């Protein structure tokens, strides 16, 4: 068999992930060639610092200061975009790559969440690939699993732990009993959380990934604006203790669910059964669960970040391109993607956990129960540990299935009671 | 865009899985066409009973009594082999398909375990696909995940729960406290176990699947004969209780591990930590864990059998073929597969659980401890519940890491002691 031409790759961004990709392509060169029938070589790079030691010889590689200029290099087959950010240089680089006939591999969830539909069309018009396995759930082959492995199914729901930083913080809070702020500060010192952690802890990163997963799972145009997003800043160690007592773990989940009203997309803290796959996934790990009409539930768990796992996902995309394996960006041709009809969070149906700080005096519980009853919310369990007449005590309750709008009205009533001292804390329960 | 020609499929075997494939292709026809750009149509079938109602109209389809004759039908692109069995009609059908230029999709692990290397070569010589997602772990996209999703990694180990019948039986034994024979009889009544259950409970089915996974994971020729196989007949409810006490679950696992001596392949009952992904996978579910040098551990869990999940896997393979996505059968070209250098079970390194029935009298434990010491086996824990001087009592011990050969010698010594009344029961511990 005659040797096929090598696949020529330009890498934009040589940070942690870019360095991992360089290392993987170098150390596994022989294996990769066996798998795809040709060599994969890096011929161009773009990075801020040319002098930094990246553990690999880049002297023969063409350097560019501007990644979007690199994308126009005539001697490239694929541009790997690892710059990040929903707009600016990352977007310009990807657009330039398509305009010049190069495939794109990216780890950029923000870009896809905001411009996924338009970029998929741009790729398709030129017969090019836009691949992004690394953008969702790091090393877990979630996009391939969903888009190809489960392609015979109508997906009913996809949900998962999509942000390792939040899962690490929540796990640490549980195992050490410490509060959020303290654990976050430690995570920052250890490099598990960014100096500005808001993208992670406010749920935005998970929402970017969920929006992309939703597009793939349901064959709809990515619609980040339709994602309801809450983060984990308000979770207290008290909630984590109560969760344990009730048989649950608290996770920040992304959930996309097909309902009669449309597609729900939401990112928020959830209580999930301790023994469920999601409940059992501690620490920095990610998990993705897809529920298909023929296959039922499939669970994928692995590392959601880090140089090695992310490089593994980037290189899987490169191997697909090198072998000529192509799949429409979001599973079906961009022109056939349906518009996403969003079902708002108000229509969410399910159970709720509520924690209140109340004055311990007769009649308080009756008032709370009446507020729930008035909104047709049915209480399932109620828990007050200890007594402290006249003083503030925490009280916890869970509900049977109810609609979010009714729950919110009940919470407004409860929050307005004299004896309720702080805004009620609510966490949705998901019994996967 | 002009419509591509439909993909013409012949199905050999219309049992549970074949019926599921027909139903999936019919109900999801539009979705599948959107995903692969062409229609997938069944033009020929082969089954014993033409009159049976399979819930779909087969009047326009060409019927064959002999599947291997169907495979020569000139108007077919793909033969789906769902007959089963390592030889006979299944093998003849697949060979005929390749000889006549048809791709093959099969759910037949026995065929692949015994003839995988030869069939991969036969397919490759003609530029055809041999696809078998459904052969391992049912609906879980394990083959695609490993062969494409993790293709950038050197795999260090792959292990998993590969037989749902065994996992169901072991789970039932734990949750009901009943013994193996009783639970098996119930499982047979419920259809979870075959009338002749030996393929499942003696570990042969799991060993077939492990041999295939080993080929894919390590790029070696499938070598079923090199798999060490033990089943679950000897597991007693007492072992399951002790496992729980020690923090473990008992699972029948398939494990393939790269070691300095070669590749270990073994199927046997294991104790695994309760909180591990494998420990948390109860009931009929399967789980596959792959450990790659860049990605670290990736866990895939889902239904390992049944019409829907298996059909989902078969159709995923059909979609790959319909879109022209091709991958070498075992990840690298058949001619480049290395011969498997087998590391025998004697060289297994790890911890052990041993249960003994001994006469409760002074000196017995000292004799057992001396037998272990004489073989350089270091005891980690020892457990005797209650006392019954002069009578038979169960005694349980666990060891630190040791080599299987030493453990076997120690067990022979212990089994020969006067006070040891029954052959020692040993279960390997795997601390994943």
């Amino acid at each position: 068999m005659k040797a096929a031409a090598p696949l020529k790759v330009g890498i934009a961004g040589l940070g942690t992930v870019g360095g991992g990709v360089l290392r993987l392509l170098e150390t596994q060169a022989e294996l990769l060639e066996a798998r795809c029938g040709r060599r994969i070589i890096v011929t161009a790079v773009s990075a801020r610092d040319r002098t930094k030691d990246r553990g690999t010889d880049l002297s023969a590689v063409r350097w560019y200061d501007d990644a979007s200029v690199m994308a126009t290099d005539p001697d490239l087959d694929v541009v790997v975009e690892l710059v990040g950010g929903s707009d600016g240089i990352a977007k310009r680089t990807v657009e330039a790559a398509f305009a010049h006939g190069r495939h794109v591999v990216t780890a950029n969830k923000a870009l896809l969440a905001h411009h996924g539909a338009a970029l998929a069309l741009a790729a398709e018009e030129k017969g090019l690939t836009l691949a992004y396995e690394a953008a969702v759930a790091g090393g877990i082959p979630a996009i391939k699993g969903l888009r190809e492995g489960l392609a015979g199914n109508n997906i009913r729901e996809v949900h998962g732990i999509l942000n390792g930083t939040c899962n690490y913080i929540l796990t640490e809070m549980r195992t050490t009993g410490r509060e959020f702020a303290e654990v976050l500060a430690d995570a920052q010192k250890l490099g598990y959380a960014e100096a500005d952690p808001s993208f992670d802890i406010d749920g935005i990163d998970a929402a970017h990934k969920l929006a992309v997963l939703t597009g793939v799972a349901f064959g709809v145009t990515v619609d980040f604006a339709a994602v309801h997003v809450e983060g984990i800043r308000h979770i207290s160690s008290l909630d984590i203790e109560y969760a344990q007592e009730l048989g649950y773990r608290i996770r920040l989940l992304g959930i996309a669910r097909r309902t009669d009203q449309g597609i729900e997309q939401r990112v928020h803290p959830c209580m999930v059964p301790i023994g469920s796959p999601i409940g059992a996934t501690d620490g920095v790990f990610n998990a993705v669960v897809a529920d298909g009409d023929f296959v039922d539930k499939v669970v994928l768990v692995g590392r959601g970040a880090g140089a090695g796992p992310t490089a593994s996902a980037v290189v899987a995309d490169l191997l697909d391109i090198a072998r000529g394996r192509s799949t429409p960006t979001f599973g079906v041709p961009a022109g056939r993607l349906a518009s996403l009809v969003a079902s708002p969070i108000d229509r969410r149906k399910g159970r709720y956990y509520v924690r209140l700080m109340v004055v311990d005096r007769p009649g308080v519980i009756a008032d709370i129960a009446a507020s729930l009853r008035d909104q047709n919310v049915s209480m399932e369990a109620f828990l007050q540990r200890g007594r402290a007449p006249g003083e503030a005590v925490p009280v916890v309750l869970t509900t049977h299935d109810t609609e979010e709008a009714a729950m919110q009205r009940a919470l407004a009533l409860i929050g307005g009671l004299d004896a309720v001292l702080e805004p009620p804390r609510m966490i949705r329960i998901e019994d996967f």
Side-chain angles (χ1 to χ4, degrees), chain A residues 5-51:
Chain A
L7 185 79
K8 293 174 186 165
V9 177
I11 302 182
L14 291 182
T16 307
V17 175
V21 172
L22 285 176
R23 209 160 51 248
L24 199 165
L25 291 175
E26 186 172 285
T27 58
Q28 324 274 60
E30 201 184 334
L31 175 73
L32 302 180
E33 188 178 352
R35 292 205 180 280
C36 70
R38 54 201 285 207
R39 285 194 307 141
I40 299 178
I41 54 173
V42 178
T43 56
V45 295
S46 165
R48 251 172 281 172
D49 184 356
R50 295 192 183 201
T51 58

Side-chain angles (χ1 to χ4, degrees), chain A residues 169-430:
Chain A
I169 290 173
L170 292 169
T171 302
E172 280 291 297
M173 286 177 69
R174 175 171 59 81
T175 54
T176 66
R178 290 183 301 162
E179 288 295 350
F180 173 79
E182 207 182 328
V183 173
L184 171 61
D186 264 19
Q188 286 172 314
K189 273 181 225 149
L190 292 166
Y192 291 151
E194 308 278 339
D196 176 0
S198 55
F199 249 53
D200 289 320
I201 64 176
D202 293 332
I204 299 159
D205 174 74
H208 284 150
K209 294 166 181 168
L210 182 70
V212 175
L213 274 178
T214 304
V216 176
F218 303 111
V220 294
T221 50
V222 174
D223 187 354
F224 175 67
V227 184
H228 174 85
V229 189
E230 299 170 27
I232 63 168
R233 287 183 199 262
H234 289 303
I235 302 297
S236 80
S237 64
L238 204 55
D239 295 320
I240 288 175
E241 266 176 54
Y242 278 119
Q244 167 86 27
E245 197 169 330
L246 294 163
Y248 293 109
R249 291 272 180 267
I250 299 179
R251 305 285 181 209
L252 182 78
L253 291 194
I255 302 173
R257 186 177 288 166
R258 194 191 284 282
T259 74
D260 293 343
Q261 293 92 44
I263 292 171
E264 284 182 11
Q265 288 186 95
R266 44 196 170 88
V267 169
H268 53 70
C270 285
M271 289 200 183
V272 300
I274 290 176
S276 66
I278 290 285
T281 302
D282 271 333
V284 296
F285 288 89
N286 282 22
V288 175
V289 181
D291 183 0
D293 54 353
F294 275 77
V295 76
D296 206 68
K297 280 186 187 149
V298 172
V299 184
L300 313 175
V301 182
R303 291 190 181 275
T310 313
S312 169
V314 167
V315 170
D317 282 344
L318 288 174
L319 287 166
D320 276 350
I321 293 168
R323 263 199 79 86
R325 285 189 298 245
S326 89
T327 306
T329 306
F330 294 103
V332 299
R336 290 186 70 160
L337 290 168
S339 289
L340 188 150
V341 177
S343 177
I345 188 76
D346 282 0
R347 306 297 297 271
R348 186 252 176 192
K349 275 221 175 82
R351 295 168 58 227
Y352 292 82
Y353 157 97
V354 178
R355 179 172 56 80
L356 305 166
M357 194 57 75
V358 304
V359 183
D360 188 1
R361 69 178 186 222
V364 174
I365 306 307
D367 290 346
I368 294 169
S371 304
L372 292 166
R373 178 206 60 208
D374 290 352
Q375 299 303 328
N376 278 314
V377 175
S378 168
M379 192 154 64
E380 183 206 32
F382 171 87
L383 198 66
Q384 178 187 336
R385 284 191 302 206
R387 298 237 31 202
E391 287 177 42
V393 290
V395 154
V396 154
L397 62 89
T398 60
T399 74
H400 287 292
D401 275 355
T402 189
E403 202 175 64
E404 175 99 6
M407 191 67 223
Q408 293 292 359
R409 287 192 300 269
L411 287 174
L413 290 177
I414 290 168
L417 295 172
D418 276 353
V420 173
L421 302 172
E422 296 172 4
R425 290 287 170 219
M426 175 273 278
I427 300 176
R428 298 172 189 91
I429 300 173
E430 296 285 346

Side-chain angles (χ1 to χ4, degrees), chain A residues 47-92:
Chain A
R48 251 172 281 172
D49 184 356
R50 295 192 183 201
T51 58
K52 191 173 147 194
D53 180 13
R54 294 177 172 90
T56 176
D57 181 11
L58 293 171
S59 57
V61 168
R62 293 183 296 282
W63 277 85
Y64 290 86
D65 290 321
D66 184 329
S68 67
V69 176
M70 183 195 78
T72 70
D73 184 311
D75 196 31
L76 273 189
D77 299 308
V78 189
V79 172
V80 176
E81 186 276 299
L82 303 172
V83 177
S86 64
D87 289 275
I89 184 67
K91 181 157 174 270
R92 286 200 308 278

